[in-house]
Amino acid sequence: MNSQENFRAIKVIGHRNPDTDSICSAIAYSRLKNILDPEHPCKPCRAGLLNRETEFVLDYFQVPSPQLYTDVSPQIRDVDIRTMEGVDGETSLRRAWMIMRDQQIDTLCVVDEEQKLKGVITVKDVATANMDGLDTHILEKAETSYQNILDILEGTVLVGDIEGKRVTGRIIIGSGSAEQIEKSISPGDIVIVANRSESQLAAIEMGAGCVVVCADSKVSRTIRMLAEEQGCIMIGTPKSTYVAGQMISQAAPIRHYMTEKDLLTFGLNSSVEAATKVMTSVRYRYFPVLDDEGRYVGVVSRRNMMGLHKKQLILVDHNEKNQAVEGIDQAEILEIIDHHRIGSMETDGPVYFRNVPVGCTSTIIYQMYEENGVEIDKTTAGLMLSAILSDTLMFRSPTCTPVDERTARKLAQLAGVDLEAYADAMFEHGGDVSGKTAEEIFNTDYKIFDSGAVRFGVGQGSYMVERNRKASQALLAPYLPVALEKQGLDYIFYMFTDVRGASTELLMAGKGAESLVARAFQVEVKDGIAVLPGVVSRKKQLLPRIINTLREEEQE
């Protein structure tokens, strides 16, 4: 897959603040889809930073982290960029006009050898330059190469070496007598003459830098020898004196006329919405597009915006809009594979939606491998095992079903790991909070939910080692009110779950949060903490009680 195909690949992505299931399911399902339907390539993605548990898993099985996407709104790279090649700044005005004519485009982008944008030139610039063609010093001012003159006049070098040489004088049309020519020429001038040998001789003797002999006229051996002695370049052209005189100013390089400052450019990651606003506010038709390294890749116009390709997504481990990556409304959802309650996600058309009441999305994906007769390699087995262990708290969570446990034990055999020893190592690494900020810990596994008019967030950290749990609580306790205000929520609840002891200490923030929890769990809340024995699942134990209590309060 080239870079553009890779970007256009279907993105398999989990929820924001991804947990191990969200990441591992995206990788495992991408692999399955690529085996079953290689014509429509998929790639695993993530909607947020990895937590330490997931980092441990990917490092253990030597799997690279999925690409990060925090927003799937349409970008410039999602439109049909016109791959118009950049041109060299030494290109002549005439050559630039011919390219515009043949390619039916009114803007050319000028680039250097590394494809870095140096400027742009439009057909209007070329027209303006031609109207200024009466300036006899234009080739000198533009430091025009003799190679450009040779090209546009379709000429041949009769005398001299033009390599690397540039014009240092005026343009003179030698149509008069030899005496008149002698009076008008200064050293370094370009003199355009016909077949009159006395005119050719006069130009050379007066120190002309170049003599252009038109209409394929003969040049005597004597004149050639004199030109060589004087260091005068002689160029022969099949064009008439009139045509050569009209065209020669078009040899000026486009760098002399291009716009260099305040260029309006877009990056591949520029949003289509922002780019469209810019396009409608100016009179330009085409705009250069630069890649992530600042190299020129093509141009876009307002017309290209009509060829927008929405990003295609497969959602795993979530189906609620407020948990999805930013810009989800402007993307095309193809499938949803999940094990949570059916939430607020809406799609433009019918999609494949597989929702199974098991403890982990990877359990569902394992079933899909089995149903399609696809062999599970050792690495993929290890990833799916890790997801199940994480989501079911090594089978201690009430969300865990017999199917989850049977699946995990099969996957452990395929992955070649000791299930219990591996789980202990995974949870211990996941619970290590050393060197982390409160915000980093907070976002490790955090989701936002809606219940009627109430919006609240629920986070969870699962710990095998008590010192890790206590250290995490101490960091997060003062941060919850800050996060509540920043996110504009009614409540925030954070679960600090003791995996071995199968219990949770719940911290909370928000006006009325303590009375809500006390009513929901029939417990005493002390110093903003509620101890919930036996509660280890956000999805099955905490969330339903919070939502039911909120609904009861609405009805009262």
Side-chain angles (χ1 to χ4, degrees):
M1 253 191 310
N2 61 37
S3 59
Q4 187 66 5
E5 289 174 338
N6 181 60
F7 189 86
R8 291 272 170 88
I10 298 167
K11 295 158 185 59
V12 184
I13 191 167
H15 50 76
R16 302 182 200 182
N17 305 315
D19 57 11
T20 299
D21 185 25
S22 179
I23 297 295
C24 293
S25 290
I27 298 171
Y29 195 53
S30 293
R31 293 181 176 183
L32 176 62
K33 293 292 289 185
N34 288 331
I35 292 171
L36 297 177
D37 188 8
E39 294 298 314
H40 297 90
C42 293
K43 70 171 185 178
C45 303
R46 56 190 173 95
L49 300 177
L50 301 178
N51 62 41
R52 284 191 174 171
E53 178 185 278
T54 310
E55 287 176 345
F56 168 81
V57 171
L58 296 183
D59 183 62
Y60 188 93
F61 291 103
Q62 297 185 335
V63 176
S65 173
Q67 187 171 348
L68 174 65
Y69 281 89
T70 57
D71 194 325
V72 291
S73 301
Q75 298 168 294
I76 290 295
R77 67 170 78 237
D78 295 316
V79 305
D80 292 323
I81 298 170
R82 183 167 180 176
T83 53
M84 186 72 199
E85 288 189 12
V87 295
D88 191 318
E90 294 300 321
T91 303
S92 68
L93 282 170
R94 181 166 181 80
R95 179 65 60 187
W97 175 80
M98 292 170 67
I99 294 172
M100 292 179 185
R101 179 197 63 190
D102 296 342
Q103 298 294 330
Q104 296 184 337
I105 193 169
D106 67 5
T107 304
L108 294 181
C109 295
V110 182
V111 299
D112 62 15
E113 293 179 353
E114 296 179 349
Q115 294 301 301
K116 294 297 180 69
L117 185 68
K118 307 303 291 183
V120 297
I121 188 165
T122 67
V123 70
K124 180 181 177 182
D125 296 326
V126 174
T128 302
N130 283 332
M131 294 305 292
D132 290 338
L134 297 177
D135 182 359
T136 59
H137 287 276
I138 187 60
L139 297 185
E140 179 184 13
K141 291 177 180 177
E143 299 180 0
T144 306
S145 69
Y146 279 109
Q147 184 62 53
N148 275 14
I149 295 174
L150 195 71
D151 289 343
I152 71 164
L153 295 181
E154 299 175 5
T156 304
V157 178
L158 303 177
V159 176
D161 179 11
I162 66 170
E163 182 70 29
K165 292 184 179 178
R166 299 186 182 277
V167 177
T168 58
R170 298 170 300 162
I171 302 169
I172 302 294
I173 309 297
S175 57
S177 64
E179 293 77 13
Q180 290 174 323
I181 292 175
E182 288 177 355
K183 292 178 181 178
S184 61
I185 294 176
S186 298
D189 287 348
I190 295 179
V191 184
I192 301 173
V193 297
N195 60 351
R196 296 171 61 184
S197 58
E198 60 268 26
S199 297
Q200 299 169 6
L201 187 60
I204 295 170
E205 289 179 339
M206 295 307 296
C210 175
V211 175
V212 178
V213 182
C214 300
D216 282 337
S217 300
K218 299 292 183 181
V219 179
S220 70
R221 178 182 177 86
T222 302
I223 290 178
R224 291 192 190 207
M225 290 177 62
L226 181 60
E228 189 169 355
E229 288 175 6
Q230 296 291 328
C232 177
I233 295 169
M234 295 195 77
I235 293 175
T237 175
K239 302 191 182 297
S240 68
T241 306
Y242 171 79
V243 172
Q246 291 289 310
M247 292 180 62
I248 196 165
S249 63
Q250 297 173 17
I254 57 177
R255 58 173 164 71
H256 185 69
Y257 300 96
M258 69 184 184
T259 301
E260 299 179 77
K261 297 180 179 179
D262 301 322
L263 297 176
L264 287 174
T265 65
F266 300 121
L268 289 173
N269 296 326
S270 299
S271 77
V272 166
E273 182 180 3
T276 302
K277 289 180 180 178
V278 171
M279 289 180 176
T280 55
S281 67
V282 295
R283 299 180 66 180
Y284 300 119
R285 185 175 177 187
Y286 291 97
F287 300 82
V289 178
L290 310 180
D291 67 12
D292 296 338
E293 282 73 44
R295 294 187 297 261
Y296 167 76
V297 295
V299 294
V300 290
S301 65
R302 285 191 287 271
R303 185 175 181 180
N304 292 124
M305 298 306 179
M306 295 187 289
L308 175 64
H309 301 274
K310 287 185 176 181
K311 292 184 175 70
Q312 295 183 314
L313 307 181
I314 294 175
L315 307 184
V316 295
D317 199 33
H318 71 299
N319 72 89
E320 297 204 43
K321 182 179 175 181
N322 56 20
Q323 295 175 14
V325 64
E326 287 287 344
I328 193 74
D329 287 338
Q330 300 178 69
E332 180 183 1
I333 300 172
L334 303 180
E335 299 182 29
I336 301 174
I337 313 296
D338 192 23
H339 68 123
H340 295 93
R341 70 169 189 163
I342 297 176
S344 57
M345 190 68 69
E346 294 183 3
T347 61
D348 293 333
V351 301
Y352 180 79
F353 190 172
R354 183 154 177 165
N355 188 277
V356 184
V358 291
C360 180
T361 306
S362 281
T363 300
I364 305 170
I365 294 172
Y366 171 84
Q367 294 172 344
M368 298 174 79
Y369 270 88
E370 292 285 291
E371 292 163 6
N372 288 281
V374 176
E375 183 178 349
I376 302 174
D377 62 82
K378 183 176 180 180
T379 299
T380 305
L383 295 176
M384 290 195 287
L385 166 66
S386 303
I388 296 172
L389 292 174
S390 176
D391 258 23
T392 66
L393 301 178
M394 205 172 77
F395 319 133
R396 291 175 172 85
S397 172
T399 61
C400 182
T401 68
V403 175
D404 293 298
E405 186 167 355
R406 285 198 303 270
T407 300
R409 297 198 182 280
K410 289 178 185 176
L411 289 169
Q413 292 178 348
L414 291 173
V417 299
D418 181 289
L419 188 150
E420 282 75 16
Y422 174 73
D424 284 347
M426 184 184 77
F427 281 114
E428 185 167 351
H429 276 82
D432 181 12
V433 297
S434 57
K436 285 201 167 188
T437 66
E439 186 174 8
E440 288 172 335
I441 299 170
F442 177 83
N443 287 318
T444 296
D445 185 5
Y446 175 76
K447 298 178 181 179
I448 294 175
F449 300 92
D450 296 304
S451 178
V454 177
R455 297 188 78 232
F456 61 97
V458 182
Q460 183 173 23
S462 300
Y463 302 89
M464 281 283 190
V465 180
E466 186 176 3
R467 69 173 181 275
N468 289 340
R469 180 170 61 85
K470 291 295 186 184
S472 181
Q473 272 184 241
L475 272 172
L476 274 192
Y479 181 73
L480 293 191
V482 176
L484 182 76
E485 183 177 355
K486 183 186 297 185
Q487 298 182 5
L489 302 177
D490 295 288
Y491 309 109
I492 286 181
F493 306 100
Y494 214 96
M495 302 173 67
F496 294 89
T497 301
D498 176 1
V499 176
R500 296 185 186 280
S503 66
T504 289
E505 289 190 5
L506 184 69
L507 272 67
M508 62 209 74
K511 186 178 180 181
E514 294 188 8
S515 61
L516 177 64
V517 170
R519 181 173 178 179
F521 293 94
Q522 300 298 306
V523 295
E524 179 184 356
V525 179
K526 187 176 181 180
D527 298 327
I529 300 176
V531 178
L532 307 177
V535 174
V536 294
S537 169
R538 169 175 50 196
K539 179 178 71 173
K540 201 163 186 177
Q541 293 176 300
L542 186 123
L543 196 57
R545 290 204 186 187
I546 295 292
I547 290 176
N548 288 338
T549 305
L550 286 171
R551 288 173 179 169
E552 289 172 3
E553 291 183 350
E554 287 177 4
Q555 295 170 359
E556 291 177 354

